[in-house]
Coordinates of all heavy atoms in Angstrom, one line a residue:
Chain A
Y511 N 98.6 95.1 60.8 CA 97.9 94.3 59.8 C 96.4 94.5 60.1 O 95.9 94.7 61.2 CB 98.3 92.8 60.1 CG 98.3 92.0 58.8 CD1 99.3 92.2 57.9 CD2 97.3 91.1 58.5 CE1 99.3 91.5 56.8 CE2 97.3 90.4 57.4 CZ 98.3 90.6 56.5 OH 98.3 89.8 55.3
D512 N 95.6 94.5 59.0 CA 94.2 94.8 59.1 C 93.3 93.8 59.8 O 92.2 94.1 60.4 CB 93.5 95.1 57.8 CG 93.9 96.5 57.3 OD1 94.4 97.3 58.1 OD2 93.7 96.7 56.1
I513 N 93.7 92.5 59.8 CA 92.8 91.4 60.3 C 92.3 91.7 61.8 O 91.2 91.4 62.1 CB 93.5 90.1 60.3 CG1 93.6 89.6 58.8 CG2 92.9 89.0 61.2 CD1 92.2 89.1 58.3
G514 N 93.2 92.3 62.6 CA 92.8 92.7 64.0 C 91.6 93.5 64.1 O 90.8 93.4 65.0
F515 N 91.5 94.4 63.1 CA 90.3 95.3 63.1 C 89.0 94.5 62.9 O 88.0 94.9 63.4 CB 90.4 96.4 62.0 CG 91.3 97.5 62.3 CD1 92.7 97.5 62.1 CD2 90.7 98.7 62.8 CE1 93.5 98.5 62.5 CE2 91.6 99.8 63.2 CZ 92.9 99.7 63.0
F516 N 89.1 93.4 62.2 CA 87.9 92.6 61.9 C 87.5 91.9 63.2 O 86.3 91.9 63.5 CB 88.2 91.6 60.8 CG 88.2 92.3 59.4 CD1 89.3 92.8 58.9 CD2 87.0 92.4 58.7 CE1 89.3 93.5 57.6 CE2 87.0 93.0 57.5 CZ 88.1 93.6 56.9
I517 N 88.4 91.3 63.9 CA 88.0 90.5 65.1 C 87.4 91.5 66.1 O 86.4 91.1 66.8 CB 89.2 89.7 65.7 CG1 88.6 88.6 66.6 CG2 90.2 90.5 66.4 CD1 89.6 87.6 67.0
K518 N 87.9 92.7 66.1 CA 87.4 93.6 67.1 C 85.9 94.1 66.7 O 85.0 94.1 67.5 CB 88.3 94.9 67.2 CG 89.6 94.6 67.8 CD 90.5 95.8 67.7 CE 91.9 95.5 68.2 NZ 92.8 96.6 67.8
R519 N 85.8 94.4 65.4 CA 84.4 94.9 65.0 C 83.4 93.8 65.1 O 82.3 94.0 65.6 CB 84.5 95.4 63.6 CG 83.1 95.8 63.0 CD 82.4 96.8 63.9 NE 81.0 97.0 63.4 CZ 80.1 97.6 64.1 NH1 80.4 98.1 65.4 NH2 78.9 97.7 63.7
V520 N 83.8 92.6 64.7 CA 82.9 91.5 64.7 C 82.4 91.2 66.1 O 81.3 90.8 66.4 CB 83.5 90.3 64.0 CG1 82.9 89.0 64.4 CG2 83.4 90.5 62.5
R521 N 83.3 91.3 67.1 CA 83.0 91.0 68.5 C 81.9 92.0 68.9 O 80.9 91.6 69.6 CB 84.2 91.2 69.3 CG 84.4 90.9 70.8 CD 83.6 90.0 71.5 NE 84.0 88.6 71.6 CZ 83.2 87.7 72.2 NH1 82.1 88.1 72.8 NH2 83.6 86.5 72.3
V522 N 82.0 93.3 68.5 CA 81.1 94.3 69.0 C 79.7 94.1 68.2 O 78.7 94.1 68.8 CB 81.6 95.7 68.7 CG1 80.6 96.8 69.0 CG2 82.9 95.9 69.6
A523 N 79.8 93.9 66.9 CA 78.6 93.7 66.1 C 77.8 92.5 66.6 O 76.6 92.5 66.6 CB 79.0 93.6 64.6
A524 N 78.5 91.4 66.9 CA 77.9 90.3 67.4 C 77.2 90.5 68.7 O 76.1 89.9 69.0 CB 78.8 89.1 67.6
A525 N 77.7 91.4 69.6 CA 77.1 91.7 70.9 C 75.9 92.7 70.8 O 75.0 92.6 71.6 CB 78.2 92.2 71.8
L526 N 76.0 93.6 69.8 CA 75.1 94.6 69.7 C 73.6 94.1 69.4 O 73.4 93.3 68.5 CB 75.5 95.6 68.5 CG 74.8 96.9 68.4 CD1 74.8 97.7 69.7 CD2 75.5 97.8 67.3
F527 N 72.7 94.5 70.2 CA 71.3 94.1 70.1 C 71.1 92.6 70.2 O 70.2 92.0 69.6 CB 70.6 94.6 68.8 CG 70.8 96.1 68.6 CD1 71.3 96.6 67.3 CD2 70.7 97.0 69.7 CE1 71.5 97.9 67.2 CE2 70.9 98.4 69.5 CZ 71.3 98.8 68.3
G528 N 71.9 92.0 71.1 CA 71.7 90.6 71.4 C 72.8 89.7 70.8 O 72.9 89.7 69.5
D529 N 73.6 89.0 71.6 CA 74.6 88.2 71.0 C 74.1 86.8 70.6 O 72.8 86.6 70.6 CB 75.8 88.0 72.0 CG 75.4 87.4 73.3 OD1 74.3 86.8 73.4 OD2 76.2 87.5 74.3
T530 N 75.0 85.9 70.2 CA 74.5 84.6 69.7 C 73.7 83.9 70.7 O 72.7 83.2 70.4 CB 75.8 83.8 69.2 OG1 76.2 84.4 68.0 CG2 75.4 82.4 69.0
N531 N 74.2 83.9 72.0 CA 73.5 83.2 73.0 C 72.0 83.8 73.2 O 71.1 83.0 73.3 CB 74.2 83.3 74.4 CG 75.5 82.6 74.4 OD1 75.7 81.8 73.4 ND2 76.3 82.8 75.4
Y532 N 72.0 85.1 73.2 CA 70.7 85.7 73.4 C 69.7 85.3 72.2 O 68.6 84.9 72.5 CB 70.8 87.3 73.3 CG 69.5 88.0 73.3 CD1 68.9 88.4 74.6 CD2 68.8 88.3 72.2 CE1 67.7 89.0 74.6 CE2 67.6 89.0 72.2 CZ 67.1 89.3 73.4 OH 65.8 90.0 73.4
H533 N 70.2 85.3 71.0 CA 69.3 85.0 69.9 C 69.0 83.5 69.7 O 68.0 83.1 69.2 CB 69.8 85.6 68.6 CG 69.6 87.1 68.6 ND1 68.3 87.7 68.5 CD2 70.4 88.1 68.8 CE1 68.4 89.0 68.6 NE2 69.6 89.3 68.7

Side-chain angles (χ1 to χ4, degrees):
Chain A
Y511 215 74
D512 282 346
I513 285 290
F515 280 84
F516 284 89
I517 198 168
K518 293 172 185 169
R519 173 56 189 167
V520 155
R521 188 22 91 183
V522 175
L526 193 52
F527 309 134
D529 61 13
T530 287
N531 293 349
Y532 175 88
H533 285 290

